[in-house]
Amino acid sequence: VRNPLFGISATLDAFENHYDMEEFREYIAALREQVDRMSQLMHELLEYGRPFASALHPECIALVVHGSVANAASLARQRDVTLQSAVPPSLMAVPMDRPRMAQVFDNLIANAIQHSRPGGVVSISAEVTGDGRWARIAVEDQGSGFREDDLPRLFEPFFTRRRGGTGLGLSIVHRILDEHGGTVVASNREGGGASMVVTLPIAGEAA
Ligand SMILES: Nc1ncnc2c1ncn2[C@@H]1O[C@H](COP(=O)(O)OP(=O)(O)OP(=O)(O)O)[C@@H](O)[C@H]1O
Ligand SMILES: [Mg+2]
């Protein structure tokens, strides 16, 4: 499915270059939007179904989180949401499959932005807990928060309340953290908004 999607997208590019006419633009934009949605869905299905590569290497979790914050910058700008990240760069080597771990924070930050109101702030913070054994990373927003009766279902595949959502984002997050011996907990913040807290084991001395 990805190859024909790529073909459609490349053909749209060529079409646009050849016939740069006002009356086509609206249709091209509509086609592109749908192709992007299908590409995104394919990406999520592949990510969800991907078998676990058991080789984990200790890497800096702060770099992964910073990468996801950078990835989310344009979505945040579109939605007029400010991203605040306070993740200390030091001492957080976590055994991981790095591209897969990046998915966790890409998905959590995207959700937080999508559920924020214009002018809202999404904050990403991290700390070391449990005598240096755990890295705890929180993604918090000031949006609607979760409906109490949705909380037990958030991590089920295809559970979604978002228009245009697939409902795979959080099930992918859960699966990836499982593979890394980590956890994720969803809750509502006291002042309103959602809080997602990820806990991951920090690499030991030997690693
Ligand atoms: N930060 C948040 N604030 C409020 N509700 C949220 C937040 N994050 C997730 N949710 C709720 O959890 C549901 C599931 O999230 P999930 O990321 O799995 O799917 P999605 O965002 O709807 O679709 P996608 O597969 O594109 O990520 C959302 O539809 C939404 O109802
Ligand atoms: Mg999502």
Side-chain angles (χ1 to χ4, degrees):
V1 174
R2 274 201 306 186
N3 288 342
L5 279 175
F6 180 76
I8 294 170
S9 172
T11 308
L12 276 173
D13 288 343
F15 185 87
E16 209 172 17
N17 283 338
H18 266 78
Y19 309 100
D20 186 17
M21 286 183 233
E22 190 60 44
E23 66 252 50
F24 290 155
R25 278 200 197 130
E26 180 190 339
Y27 300 103
I28 298 224
L31 286 169
R32 245 187 234 296
E33 193 183 318
Q34 300 306 319
V35 171
D36 286 349
R37 276 187 66 186
M38 281 196 278
S39 302
Q40 178 63 27
L41 173 59
M42 275 319 296
H43 176 76
E44 290 196 346
L45 285 170
L46 285 171
E47 206 52 56
Y48 184 69
R50 195 155 79 156
F52 175 41
S54 54
L56 303 179
H57 304 285
E59 296 213 46
C60 175
I61 191 72
L63 286 181
V64 176
V65 175
H66 287 152
S68 294
V69 170
N71 286 343
S74 90
L75 180 65
R77 218 174 304 118
Q78 271 171 38
R79 305 286 177 110
D80 188 21
V81 170
T82 304
L83 296 178
Q84 267 173 13
S85 128
V87 178
S90 58
L91 287 179
M92 298 248 240
V94 168
M96 68 172 91
D97 173 338
R98 181 164 175 170
R100 206 138 155 85
M101 184 58 72
Q103 275 288 309
V104 167
F105 297 98
D106 285 352
N107 288 352
L108 293 180
I109 296 171
N111 277 351
I113 296 170
Q114 282 157 352
H115 291 91
S116 290
R117 298 180 190 89
V121 174
V122 168
S123 80
I124 300 112
S125 57
E127 59 180 1
V128 176
T129 63
D131 275 338
R133 281 175 302 145
W134 301 94
R136 187 175 174 281
I137 302 105
V139 178
E140 297 171 305
D141 62 59
Q142 303 170 328
S144 55
F146 304 105
R147 283 162 51 161
E148 237 14 85
D149 46 344
D150 284 350
L151 283 171
R153 304 186 54 199
L154 293 178
F155 300 99
E156 285 174 16
F158 304 108
F159 174 80
T160 182
R161 293 204 181 276
R162 189 169 66 81
R163 220 177 142 239
T166 309
L168 281 174
L170 287 180
S171 48
I172 292 169
V173 166
H174 193 269
R175 174 168 289 193
I176 295 173
L177 289 171
D178 245 11
E179 294 166 359
H180 288 79
T183 58
V184 55
V185 176
S187 63
N188 285 314
R189 301 171 71 192
E190 259 177 40
S195 157
M196 299 296 277
V197 175
V198 169
T199 307
L200 281 162
I202 291 179
E205 205 70 37

